[in-house]
Amino acid sequence: MIGGLFIYNHKGEVLISRVYRDDIGRNAVDAFRVNVIHARQQVRSPVTNIARTSFFHVKRSNIWLAAVTKQNVNAAMVFEFLYKMCDVMTAYFGKISEENIKNNFVLIYELLDEILDFGYPQNSETGALKTFITQQGIKSQHHTKEEQSQITSQVTGQIGWRREGIKYRRNELFLDVLESVNLLMSPQGQVLSAHVSGRVVMKSYLSGMPECKFGMNDKIVIDKQGKGGTTDDSGKSELGGSGKQSIAIDDCTFHQCVRLSKFDSERSISFIPPDGEYELMRYRTTKDIILPFRVIPLVREVGRTKLEVKVVIKSNFKPSLLAQKIEVRIPTPLNTSGVQVICMKGKAKYKASENAIVWKIKRMAGMKESQISAEIELLPTNDKKKWARPPISMNFEVPFAPSGLKVRYLKVFEPKLNYSDHDVIKWVRYIGRSGIYETRC
Amino acid sequence: MTDSKYFTTTKKGEIFELKAELNSDKKEKKKEAVKKVIASMTVGKDVSALFPDVVNCMQTDNLELKKLVYLYLMNYAKSQPDMAIMAVNTFVKDCEDLNPLIRALAVRTMGCIRVDKITEYLCEPLRKCLKDEDPYVRKTAAVCVAKLHDINAQLVEDQGFLDTLKDLISDSNPMVVANAVAALSEIAESHPNSNLLDLNPQTINKLLTALNECTEWGQIFILDCLASYLPRDDRESQSICERVTPRLSHANSAVVLSAVKVLMKFMEMLPKDLDYYGTLLKKLAPPLVTLLSAEPELQYVALRNINLIVQKRPEILKHEMKVFFVKYNDPIYVKLEKLDIMIRLASQANIAQVLAELKEYATEVDVDFVRKAVRAIGRCAIKVEQSAERCVSTLLDLIQTKVNYVVQEAIVVIKDIFRKYPNKYESVIATLCENLDSLDEPEARAAMIWIVGEYAERIDNADELLESFLEGFHDESTQVQLQLLTAIVKLFLKKPTETQELVQQVLSLATQDSDNPDLRDRGYIYWRLLSTDPVAAKEVVLAEKPLISEETDLIEPTLLEELICHIGTLASVYHKPPSAFVEGSRGVQHKRLPPRAGSGESTESPDVGQSGPSEAPPAVIPSQGDLLGDLLNLDLAPPTATVPSVQPSMQMGAMDLLGGGLDSLLGGDIGGSPSMGAGLGAAPAAMPASLGGAPAVGGGLGDLFDLGGGVGMPTGSYVAPKTVWLLAMKAKGLEISGTFARRGGIIQMDLSLTNKAMSVMTDFAIQFNRNSFGLAPAGPLQVLTPLSPNQTIDVSLPLSTSGPVMKMEPLNNLQVAVKNNIDVFYFSCQYPLSLLFVEDGKMDRQVFLATWKDIPNDNEAQFQIKDIHLNSDVASNKLQGSNIFTIAKRTVEGQDMLYQSVKLTNGIWVLAEMRIQTGNPNYTWMCWRRPHVRECVSQNDSPVIS
């Protein structure tokens, strides 16, 4: 298991060091600094073995977090734990920075003592931790006996992510369907690979221990209902019948609150949510993706010292919708000496430091087209190697889900308290963002 | 909060100040001081001098302060054991506290203080805490047992904590269960032979229940533990799989990977024709792909594991090539891994896409990545024959770029392509020769020299080219020197007239002016060959080389199997067994996949070669093979190129008991006949479980027939050729090969002991583990003279069947320990069941008739053997030699029916009916008494009869 955990600043100075196992010595702290942080080259692997000691590291801004072990540990678990630790720290004191870590080192030690025992990760849900690890430190002694046992049963219980007795005057929940659409397109406009990775993020402000059920236009569910419920109201079968109403989900993963065995057997998503914001599910689709933008590149080399670039972008969604924060990044060769750009819409600039022309458009409606042309002057070089022509990449945000996912319902039941499903105020929002959206040129 | 100030105090006399502050009356000041102490400790300053002062702060009702003091104690108690005792009282008192959080804190901290005197005091509180009413305390106490075990294993055993820990597996709280499992697994690892984690269907059921309820981490502990369980049969295996699959949708990648591990392992036991097997395969792909959208570090772990999974079961991800395409912004470690997997998945169907991608990658910035991409193009050419031409032209394009490292890499892979497709692409040699001067890496130089030597007759100025390399002979690396030597010798053999001077020059350079023994030796060998027998020299040096195959970069099957058992862990990231990077006893234990389920469809299995039982010695790469390779100047070739496809019947046996392997053995001396298709007839449902277990035997027994073939005389029991049971490298130089024989009613184990070490071996002794038929040595191992280095001695060890009996998996498995003056070595081997057929196995006709009728239908197994051209008399004679007796014979409608009996040493009878039609015998075997024996016997022995 994890033998020790160290946090370093960018210079390699130790900010936190907690050793869990006897086989990890102080020299491990230095070994990582010397061999990884101070190593000149780029990091070639997130797992490093130095003198039969393995170091796992992740970086958050300029802070290094490293877990150390001498055993054959579950590597995936170690990384998951490191990410989790970052989450917990962020939940407690915000951004992970040298300043914040130094300011909260006592708290961090307390957390590390709690969430990692002898190198075995323990309950690390912030919801639970915050009930008994507090920044004040003194609070915990004033718990009554009932409160204490409530804490421990929550930390060890089946619903470790939620405490009992939560009360809201207004029961409210927010659902965000956040998708990132990824594309790799050939210069000829052929889709080499495209997929959407989506997340359903829920903010719940619900009283008690509400039992929730989430439904979306999952093809498997809709098809099943279509078959079984012919006598049902006609509205539903119509929903299933009209083409793009249901989507094929390649795979999805759920927050630990979701009952996986139930999903596996009935494909229904039921859970008792944590309080506040959390990620309910992640999913991935590859079929029938709506690609919000098409990029058409045209690069022509005029002699050895000039390049002509023309890029057309086309928006491909309902004209009533507006895309935002559009940015097209056209890479330029390293030996570029000057660039002239002409664009109809938005602003375009050559950024020498980034070796790219960056073209920004604030808003663009659907079914529109826009174009940029640029002349790039090159310095003559002796470099035999041809310019690699990195792909043209794009950023944008659209107010729909490119996968076609729709939330059908989110039902809330709390049998013990006096509120019912339709007393809950529910909000749903769809945001589609570009992931890695690239067109080769 | 401005705790950061504690990090900045670096004045002189700091310790004194701190001391004063620690002893202050004011609580706040005390706390501040302890914080300063911890901050100093963190940055590596020695504050152990403050030990008594800090410990004095321990008795406080301020929990935060208490935790800080505990933290200090954990760090320094070991260096100040006497002072640490001062803390004991507080600990013991805290373990009785009303607040469960404090009880847990105390027991958790105490376990971390590695001071003997403290651990003594720990026992009583720990015992109480293990039975505490609060689950939080119990789950902490469970881990504490593991801590204590790490400090003092004996103490834990003496105090009976292990039993209490085992009881916690049945705890009502899932977290307690999970931690108990984690602790037990860890303790069990350091006692490889203890039956500590006594996993049985009941405990497994408890674990599976807890799996649904505990935290993500707990799920990982439980899944990792489940993976070490060996289900009894395919049904149990399936039901566990069914309950584990929902975990594939967990958001935590580690849960997913651990679930994949369990499934990959237990799948091994499922028959491939089962519907569920196919379903499971389909279910595995999406979660594996999803792992690639995790954070880069996890992607890396996932990719390293997928690399193994793709080698073990290529069918899972064969349609998912696109997700492994490299993204421009992927970290380099992700890119390199993706590239590796792309090549593994490359097939005729997707090769065009793959090549287009690879070409794209070859223009990227990162040198390592570009090199690997170029290399990948070459590997594609070797893997997918149809693409070879396109690959070669792509490589030529890349050579035209003149980017130095691209050119060198391309030349190295083109050399491999020449090896794989001789006489096809040699037209490109001219282009390659143009780049001779730019090659500065040994591997590329060596590859180029090899090409020049190999195709010397087609290159006009080959002698000039090679001569130009010779000038700086001593500055070259060994690889280049060896290659140059061979190339010039080849050149000489091809164009003897013009190059005599050159060859003499290189031979003298290699033999007289070099300190490298390899080079000298090879030089002398060539020299002598050339001077004594030029014809022989030609035959040796210009011999036809075996083609290289695509499999050269695969992980060796036994290692792969072991790594599959370690999915998700560091071993799977490093692609090394844990013993390679873990110190001490932990991880030394080798994990293995469960025995493979067998069924009729063996021939469809894509990985028959790999799926052989790991029990059998792994594909033996004999040392002389390498030597031969050297002589044939194959040093450039990947190491396995000299080894013909894995192994003959030995490994085939597992899946192919009745199929191809056997046919070839039997068909060999009898002559061809229309093939009939082998298959298992009425295999009862319970059968597959133990089927997989009987490898070598099948093939070996098949030989029975060959031996007596044609003559038709009972020649005594068949004796399989000796196989290597214990490799010298695993046994400090002792190599053991052997076989079993039945001679005159006595079972004998024939052993060859070879000493491959440098020192003399003496004091040999042998012992068997309990086994299915109670085999045991009937006398001591007769090795009277000491075994000197490089000496081989043959020994026959008579065996009795009166030893202790224990059912083995597979049934005919035998675990053996051999001791000598150096150490004790363990190996296991499998004996043919015909060894156990006793001479008085001829059943009375009447008895036979009566019994035959009484055999229940479901005790019957039927199968066919093909390609045997023997009439019934010859067959029955031959079988009698192996103590399979024909009781009666009748002829019905042109079919000869033989009724036979066999008796095993333990008194079990096997009855059989054998039908022989003209040309193709058809057998029905039946048996009664114990079902599992039936399965094994029927599987193994049908070949004997054929």
Side-chain angles (χ1 to χ4, degrees), chain A residues 176-331:
Chain A
D176 279 346
V177 177
L178 306 171
E179 295 197 337
S180 92
V181 50
N182 297 276
L183 170 77
L184 184 61
M185 196 176 248
S186 77
Q188 293 75 33
Q190 188 193 359
V191 177
L192 296 174
S193 74
H195 76 271
V196 167
S197 52
R199 306 186 299 142
V200 178
V201 175
M202 183 170 172
K203 262 182 255 175
S204 70
Y205 304 103
L206 302 169
S207 312
M209 292 300 245
E211 183 68 46
C212 297
K213 209 173 163 189
F214 175 68
M216 53 189 176
N217 58 339
D218 177 0
K219 194 163 184 295
I220 298 174
V221 177
I222 303 269
D223 287 356
K224 222 196 275 174
Q225 287 177 348
K227 262 182 229 157
T230 35
T231 48
D232 264 28
D233 57 329
S234 56
K236 230 179 214 167
S237 54
E238 200 177 287
L239 234 166
S242 57
K244 186 68 193 154
Q245 289 300 333
S246 67
I247 62 159
I249 294 175
D250 288 25
D251 187 38
C252 43
T253 58
F254 297 98
H255 184 266
Q256 60 169 323
C257 66
V258 175
R259 295 183 187 91
L260 294 179
S261 38
K262 210 158 178 191
F263 178 74
D264 193 60
S265 57
E266 306 161 23
R267 220 173 158 88
S268 76
I269 303 165
S270 60
F271 53 96
I272 295 172
D275 193 41
E277 184 173 333
Y278 73 103
E279 187 180 285
L280 174 64
M281 73 177 279
R282 278 183 189 220
Y283 56 92
R284 187 166 50 80
T285 72
T286 45
K287 285 202 189 76
D288 303 321
I289 293 168
I290 308 159
L291 295 173
F293 286 95
R294 164 90 204 272
V295 177
I296 306 159
L298 233 153
V299 181
R300 205 160 67 93
E301 288 176 39
V302 188
R304 285 179 57 85
T305 56
K306 206 168 140 189
L307 271 180
E308 281 180 10
V309 181
K310 196 174 109 177
V311 177
V312 181
I313 59 167
K314 285 183 178 173
S315 58
N316 175 36
F317 44 88
K318 272 193 233 157
S320 57
L321 298 176
L322 274 180
Q324 290 183 313
K325 301 178 191 166
I326 302 151
E327 185 186 294
V328 183
R329 184 171 286 263
I330 305 162

Side-chain angles (χ1 to χ4, degrees), chain A residues 341-357:
Chain A
V341 237
I342 314 157
C343 59
M344 326 280 234
K345 222 178 158 209
K347 278 181 194 152
K349 235 189 220 162
Y350 166 63
K351 294 199 172 166
S353 58
E354 294 165 39
N355 287 312
I357 300 167

Side-chain angles (χ1 to χ4, degrees), chain B residues 84-85 88 91-92 109-127 144-145 147-153 155-156 159 161:
Chain B
I85 298 301
V88 165
F91 277 127
V92 175
T109 313
M110 255 178 121
C112 296
I113 297 178
R114 305 176 66 90
V115 173
D116 284 342
K117 281 179 195 150
I118 293 218
T119 38
E120 277 167 34
Y121 285 100
L122 174 60
C123 291
E124 277 324 300
L126 178 58
R127 198 185 315 281
C144 190
V145 176
K147 290 179 189 168
L148 188 58
H149 185 271
D150 194 40
I151 305 170
N152 191 342
L155 185 67
V156 170
Q159 296 278 334
F161 284 139

